Structure formats: structure tokens, C-alpha cells
Amino acid sequence: MTVRLTATLLTYGEDSQPDFWGDVITFAPGSLFTDTHQKVGLFVEHDTSREAAGYAVDIWTEGKVVRGTFETIDTPSGRLLEQELLAGVRRHVSVGVYLDEYTDEPLDPATAGDPWAPIRMTVTSGDLAETSACIRGRFPSAAIDEVTPVEGNPA
């Protein structure tokens, strides 16, 4: 069996949840690039040291929202992810991006010049390298919207 999932990958202009240091990330409109000839891998928790669990069938933009459809593949990671998706254990996604261009600014202008002050990084250009199913994503809108079992394995 294969599982097909449709997910909201990110919303342009949305702040991520703060990381350990309080930094947030946002993607400027149109900043995320994916080559339509490349199958973007689907991993679990960004663990690219393991085999892929699936791949992107289609990635598109609806207004300010980047969405994608993915299918699992017959690998140990793919089979485990299928079980977790069907059980509702993994409900979020996260993007792995190679940054080409970005700007950063302090979250609080009063802390300008303080190298330890939390910042907002705005990605203005980046390549989508991989997508991961995860327990908790950094972007509030990044979620798995639909999970559908598919008989056979078209991969």
C-alpha cells in the first residue's frame, strides 16, 4: 500500500515558531523555488541520513500558501511513516531549504547591534531541498491536510 498526503508547506509572510534562541523565520512571497523536474524527497523529522519515506508528486502555490501532494514509497522509513500517518501520529510538515538570499533584523529594534538578540530572518530566495513529516513543525500553518491510502505502489 502507498499513502498519499496533501499538506500545507508554508504560508508566505507567516512567522515561524521561535527557535531555542528566540529567532523566527519568515518566507517572502515567491521566495521558495522548486524545480518541477526534480522529485523533492519526503523524509521523517529531516533525517536525510536515512532513505526517503516518499516524494513530492506536485507542489503548487495558492495565493500566499505553498501546498504539496506526496506519496510514500516502499522503504523502511516509508512503511513506518504510512502507519504513523494513518494513525494520526504525524500531523505536521517542515521544509528543508537551501538559502540563496535572506535578510535579518532584530525582533526588537532596541536590541540592534546585540549579537545575542533574537532576530527575524526573511528568506527572499531559497531552493526547496526536502520536506519532512514531523510531530511539530515550526510554521503554524504547515500541516498535513489529508491522508489517503492508495492500493499498489506507483513509484
Side-chain angles (χ1 to χ4, degrees):
M1 175 179 54
T2 297
V3 171
R4 178 174 290 148
L5 62 119
T6 302
T8 298
L9 303 182
L10 62 87
T11 300
Y12 289 128
E14 176 182 50
D15 282 347
S16 70
Q17 300 291 332
D19 65 10
F20 182 76
W21 295 276
D23 298 337
V24 299
I25 299 172
T26 187
F27 284 81
S31 60
L32 191 62
F33 171 79
T34 180
D35 184 345
T36 57
H37 302 289
Q38 172 190 354
K39 285 188 177 177
V40 175
L42 175 65
F43 292 87
V44 176
E45 300 289 349
H46 297 289
D47 187 358
T48 58
S49 69
R50 296 189 51 148
E51 70 281 342
Y55 63 94
V57 175
D58 192 18
I59 296 174
W60 69 96
T61 302
E62 296 175 355
K64 294 177 16 178
V65 178
V66 180
R67 303 196 70 227
T69 299
F70 299 83
E71 288 190 1
T72 57
I73 54 179
D74 188 18
T75 63
S77 293
R79 290 188 297 275
L80 179 59
L81 180 58
E82 289 169 1
Q83 294 171 7
E84 292 177 336
L85 289 169
L86 292 171
V89 174
R90 294 196 185 273
R91 299 180 306 251
H92 298 272
V93 292
S94 182
V95 293
V97 176
Y98 293 124
L99 300 178
D100 294 323
E101 296 177 15
Y102 65 91
T103 60
D104 60 60
E105 61 187 4
L107 284 175
D108 177 356
T111 62
D114 179 353
W116 300 106
I119 63 166
R120 170 180 288 104
M121 179 193 309
T122 301
V123 178
T124 55
S125 178
D127 293 327
L128 180 60
E130 57 92 7
T131 301
S132 287
C134 54
I135 299 295
R136 180 178 179 264
R138 284 195 65 191
F139 288 92
S141 66
I144 296 170
D145 303 315
E146 183 179 345
V147 175
T148 308
V150 179
E151 291 304 318
N153 190 348

